[in-house]
Amino acid sequence: MKTETAAQTVLPDTLVSALNWRYAVKKFDAAGRIPAAQWEALEESLVLSPSSYGLQAWKFLVIEDKALRAKLRPASWDQRQIVDADKLVVFLVKKDAGPADVQRFVDRISEVRRMPAEMLEAYKQMMIKSVSLPPEKVEAWLTRQVYIALGTFLTSAALLGVDACPMEGFDKDKYDKILGLHEQGWKSVVVATAGVRACDDAYAKNKKVRFPKSELI
């Protein structure tokens, strides 16, 4: 019996072509919309993103409200993508993650895999040790996990033919204040906009600049 694998569903040329097609869109078509099925798949790509231990100490805030995005634009170096893109995703990291977050994850494993929580005790203690490091080290570690999700999102968008732009050019403290994140126990890490590139975005015509593979691999 032959089992289908993910490797059989996407051809190598398809992947490379999609990655060559994508770029950090500087100008979106304000009227452009991402088809619902594509966006649903992109949300799933965020849910399915890998993280250390699988802990998932993150949230992905999808902001569609234009008025709210207009408030965020000045805190985003006045970049138009914030308001013109169809979707704005703010990638968040859990503040003060600790043993309670580990327990929540263990409970979820037990529920999904239908296994006694006692069987996960060694794994639980390993995770608790990691979240018990000095707070600044825990936050730095979990923040790195968020960037894994960003990479998954961007690659998935490219494969689906959805334009996107990762953005670090924003004031995190202002974002957190405008969105009320601190009170909810979260911090903004990075932003991604997604939508349809404008036909006159000059950056779309630029050749992709990369060092030769022989230098990088």
Side-chain angles (χ1 to χ4, degrees):
M1 179 177 176
K2 186 177 180 180
T3 303
E4 185 179 13
T5 66
Q8 293 171 306
T9 63
V10 178
L11 296 174
D13 286 349
T14 301
L15 172 62
V16 174
S17 177
L19 294 177
N20 273 299
W21 170 83
R22 71 147 299 277
Y23 73 105
V25 175
K26 299 299 186 292
K27 185 178 182 182
F28 285 95
D29 178 354
R33 295 292 177 265
I34 301 170
Q38 269 93 331
W39 183 251
E40 180 69 22
L42 282 174
E43 288 190 343
E44 285 296 321
S45 79
L46 290 171
V47 173
L48 294 170
S49 294
S51 62
S52 184
Y53 294 124
L55 195 55
Q56 307 159 73
W58 54 31
K59 277 190 184 295
F60 311 105
L61 189 60
V62 181
I63 303 177
E64 297 179 318
D65 182 81
K66 294 293 186 180
L68 178 55
R69 284 160 64 170
K71 291 181 181 179
L72 292 171
R73 179 175 173 177
S76 313
W77 299 1
D78 200 36
Q79 296 177 90
R80 288 186 56 97
Q81 298 101 307
I82 297 298
V83 294
D84 287 345
D86 185 26
K87 308 288 186 183
L88 169 64
V89 184
V90 185
F91 291 67
L92 312 179
V93 68
K94 181 79 161 56
K95 291 174 58 182
D96 305 321
D101 300 286
V102 170
Q103 184 61 56
R104 179 170 176 265
F105 180 46
V106 168
D107 292 341
R108 180 61 174 165
I109 297 174
S110 179
E111 175 190 359
V112 172
R113 296 181 177 170
R114 299 172 182 256
M115 59 191 301
E118 294 76 22
M119 293 180 62
L120 298 164
E121 186 61 27
Y123 190 46
K124 172 183 171 180
Q125 293 304 321
M126 188 185 304
M127 290 188 284
I128 287 178
K129 184 177 180 180
S130 292
V131 299
S132 299
L133 294 170
E136 65 275 9
K137 289 189 176 182
V138 174
E139 183 175 318
W141 166 55
L142 294 178
T143 296
R144 291 194 295 272
Q145 309 309 306
V146 174
Y147 278 89
I148 297 175
L150 174 64
T152 300
F153 178 80
L154 294 174
T155 301
S156 300
L159 284 168
L160 292 172
V162 174
D163 289 304
C165 180
M167 303 173 70
E168 289 188 299
F170 70 102
D171 188 317
K172 295 180 177 63
D173 289 336
K174 289 182 179 179
Y175 258 61
D176 294 351
K177 183 176 181 180
I178 292 170
L179 299 173
L181 297 178
H182 285 312
E183 297 84 351
Q184 301 175 55
W186 299 94
K187 293 179 68 175
S188 58
V189 174
V190 68
V191 166
T193 47
V196 179
R197 67 184 70 177
C199 60
D200 60 345
D201 185 358
Y203 287 85
K205 300 177 182 179
N206 289 345
K207 289 186 176 181
K208 193 176 292 293
V209 179
R210 296 291 188 271
F211 291 108
K213 182 166 63 174
S214 60
E215 291 186 20
L216 299 178
I217 299 178

